[in-house]
Amino acid sequence: MELSLTLADGENTGDQLASLYRWLRQDPDITDHIDVRHGQGTAPPGTMSGTLEVINLAVSNTLALANLFVAVGAWRGTRRGAPEVRVERDGLVLTVTGDDPEKVRALIADLGTANRP
């Protein structure tokens, strides 16, 4: 499953994204089952900016996806005023605002059914 992570617009977004990238790359529960790459994405339609930084992910299984959401929630817990993290798969965009287990399950279910007939 191919995903991309971006952050909600705000102050120091590039620095925050770099911090999240390092956080994910240092977590063996993530790197053992997810290919984490720093990349470029296109700006949303109607915006003035040319490109946005993104974290591209290739997730191998559902357990790895759950670990990803927990890791993102844990990273957000270490940041004062942590930005929302947007997860995109095949045009479906979901927002991570915490690490509540019930919300994590709902996000996984939503991503698992993205663009399925």
Side-chain angles (χ1 to χ4, degrees), residues 34-80:
I34 300 175
D35 180 21
V36 181
R37 300 175 309 275
H38 195 261
Q40 297 290 322
T42 57
T47 63
M48 297 291 287
S49 59
T51 61
L52 299 172
E53 289 188 47
V54 300
I55 298 172
N56 296 311
L57 307 159
V59 181
S60 63
N61 58 55
T62 305
L63 180 58
L65 184 60
N67 286 339
L68 172 67
F69 284 119
V70 170
V72 168
W75 174 80
R76 289 187 78 254
T78 67
R79 320 300 294 174
R80 187 178 322 147

Side-chain angles (χ1 to χ4, degrees), residues 7-109:
L7 301 181
D9 293 336
E11 227 177 275
N12 300 321
T13 302
D15 292 341
Q16 296 274 17
L17 189 66
S19 171
L20 177 56
Y21 175 78
R22 286 189 304 273
W23 181 276
L24 295 174
R25 295 286 300 167
Q26 294 173 2
D27 185 338
D29 288 335
I30 299 299
T31 57
D32 286 352
H33 302 283
I34 300 175
D35 180 21
V36 181
R37 300 175 309 275
H38 195 261
Q40 297 290 322
T42 57
T47 63
M48 297 291 287
S49 59
T51 61
L52 299 172
E53 289 188 47
V54 300
I55 298 172
N56 296 311
L57 307 159
V59 181
S60 63
N61 58 55
T62 305
L63 180 58
L65 184 60
N67 286 339
L68 172 67
F69 284 119
V70 170
V72 168
W75 174 80
R76 289 187 78 254
T78 67
R79 320 300 294 174
R80 187 178 322 147
E84 293 179 345
V85 178
R86 295 184 183 127
V87 181
E88 182 175 352
R89 176 182 181 211
D90 298 330
L92 174 67
V93 179
L94 303 173
T95 303
V96 179
T97 57
D99 63 353
D100 174 32
E102 202 53 42
K103 289 183 181 179
V104 168
R105 280 191 280 280
L107 289 169
I108 292 168

